[in-house]
Amino acid sequence: MTTPDVRPSPGASRPEISIVVPAYNEAKVLPELLERLTRALEGNPDYEILVVDDGSTDGTLEFLRVAGERWPRLRYVSLSRNFGHQNALRAGMDVARGACVISIDADLQHPPELIPELIARWRAGVQVVLTLRSSQGVPWFKRQTATAFYQVLSWLTDRPPADGSADFRLLDRTVVDLLRGFPERSLFLRGLVPWVGFRQESVPYEPAARSAGTSKYSVRRMLSLAIHGITATSTRPLLLASVLGVLVSLFAVLFAGYAVYMRVVRGTAITGWASVIVFTGLLAGAQLFVTGIVGAYLGQVLQEVQRRPPYLVKERSGEGLS
Ligand code: UDP
Ligand code: MG
């Protein structure tokens, strides 16, 4: 496939390649990022770099307003507040016009130098080019939690994302349009991309350290991404209540038999303060845990039913962003 499926919208010419960069308080790294992106894209006549300012408070937007003079391929949208990484990505996918869309983090942990390889694969006909980060150089805690999360996901779904896949990937316009057409409000892209199918390949890379600034993912945010990821990808945890119920009933039946045996054959009643307390405690814990799981799904359902937009735009760069 050479230039696949480009449908120019009236009045706006489509660039061939869109780079989408979600940025939350990344003013310090953006100049270097734009510089390296521009270098990596040399030789591609037709591309745009679309930075999504996700409600930054550190001057990211002020920088973007003037940076177009130095980097003419730069466009931006600015969201009305911080909507979170996934929603910022979605905003970027909505506004990007390219025949392929490459998403990349602002902090240079995703090396822009990998982009020519992604584009080469796309030109060879691959519609989804993923990247896989090798775990070397990733901080211990981040690596362990990420691996655990992907392990859980692979139990829960038949098409799990690969460990080490992040939001650094190329999607063909066909796939972008399909994903944008999904009715759900909260897209968990890492789970959905393996699910959509088409021709997919992955390219490995070594992650770099964050070039400046700090990670925007606190433990709380990581946990909430994980919960969202699971509830959006699989309904299997909802079966846990039934599984636990069967196990507990089985245990209760066996224990009842034992109690009857002791009373009838041995003539002794079992004294059992400890066993009663332990057993009730275990049951209460299991019930609350399962209720929590149901609650997580219920929350997700409520959000979907409310149908609020996943982000609001307050400002965008002038020309051409229709
Ligand atoms: N990001 C965002 N909105 C948020 C949090 C993060 O747009 O609410 C962006 C951030 O600017 C970066 C990318 O998402 O470009 C990944 O975030 P970060 O590097 O902090 O995550 P980590 O690499 O630590 O997982
Ligand atoms: Mg990062």
Side-chain angles (χ1 to χ4, degrees):
M1 191 165 28
T2 44
T3 332
D5 194 22
V6 191
R7 279 154 295 156
S9 58
S13 65
R14 271 190 191 285
E16 188 188 23
I17 298 158
S18 292
I19 312 285
V20 165
V21 188
Y24 177 45
N25 293 343
E26 303 285 12
K28 278 197 204 119
V29 296
L30 281 176
E32 189 189 342
L33 174 82
L34 292 170
E35 212 44 63
R36 281 173 60 183
L37 279 176
T38 309
R39 232 176 299 139
L41 283 154
E42 247 163 39
N44 291 285
D46 199 17
Y47 67 89
E48 64 178 5
I49 300 174
L50 177 64
V51 177
V52 181
D53 162 38
D54 186 15
S56 302
T57 51
D58 72 335
T60 295
L61 177 58
E62 290 71 13
F63 168 79
L64 290 172
R65 282 188 187 131
V66 296
E69 284 178 20
R70 174 140 172 231
W71 293 280
R73 305 298 178 97
L74 177 71
R75 312 265 183 281
Y76 68 86
V77 277
S78 178
L79 306 185
S80 63
R81 64 168 169 84
N82 179 245
F83 280 91
H85 183 192
Q86 295 291 306
N87 291 322
L89 260 181
R90 177 168 191 168
M93 280 175 38
D94 285 345
V95 177
R97 302 169 300 179
C100 72
V101 175
I102 301 173
S103 50
I104 183 168
D105 281 2
D107 59 3
L108 292 166
Q109 283 179 317
H110 301 160
E113 292 69 32
L114 206 63
I115 288 179
E117 171 69 16
L118 304 186
I119 295 175
R121 304 259 183 139
W122 172 65
R123 290 199 205 282
V126 184
Q127 286 118 330
V128 177
V129 191
L130 306 166
T131 64
L132 274 187
R133 101 180 151 191
S134 80
S135 53
Q136 276 149 20
V138 180
W140 184 86
F141 180 71
K142 191 114 197 166
R143 196 173 67 222
Q144 297 304 318
T145 47
T147 306
F149 173 62
Y150 285 109
Q151 184 69 47
V152 170
L153 269 190
S154 69
W155 289 328
L156 293 176
T157 151
D158 302 328
R159 303 203 161 272
D163 186 2
S165 63
D167 291 297
F168 180 24
R169 63 172 90 79
L170 179 151
L171 299 176
D172 184 72
R173 169 59 46 193
T174 327
V175 178
V176 173
D177 283 345
L178 283 172
L179 286 170
R180 289 184 55 212
F182 283 11
E184 62 209 81
R185 174 192 168 279
S186 57
L187 290 180
F188 180 64
L189 286 169
R190 286 183 210 184
L192 272 179
V193 168
W195 180 90
V196 291
F198 292 91
R199 198 168 147 203
Q200 309 207 353
E201 282 180 14
S202 11
V203 183
Y205 72 97
E206 297 286 336
R210 213 173 207 290
S211 110
T214 50
S215 170
K216 308 300 176 307
Y217 275 97
S218 58
V219 172
R220 212 183 93 216
R221 273 181 164 229
M222 274 160 66
L223 208 62
S224 107
L225 178 73
I227 292 174
H228 172 214
I230 289 170
T231 52
T233 312
S234 167
T235 52
R236 279 187 206 167
L238 287 171
L239 299 176
L240 188 65
S242 312
V243 174
L244 282 178
V246 169
L247 289 179
V248 169
S249 310
L250 212 66
F251 181 75
V253 167
L254 291 177
F255 201 77
Y258 173 64
V260 170
Y261 165 82
M262 291 301 274
R263 182 80 186 86
V264 175
V265 180
R266 298 285 182 86
T268 52
I270 312 164
T271 56
W273 187 86
S275 53
V276 169
I277 292 291
V278 169
F279 196 59
T280 330
L282 272 179
L283 256 189
Q287 275 178 348
L288 286 176
F289 181 64
V290 169
T291 314
I293 292 180
V294 176
Y297 280 91
L298 190 62
Q300 188 84 19
V301 171
L302 178 68
Q303 284 196 345
E304 291 296 335
V305 170
Q306 284 175 325
R307 295 246 138 268
R308 290 191 193 146
Y311 60 86
L312 297 172
V313 172
K314 85 175 166 204
E315 179 182 327
R316 43 171 70 185
S317 51
E319 18 70 67
L321 273 184
S322 47

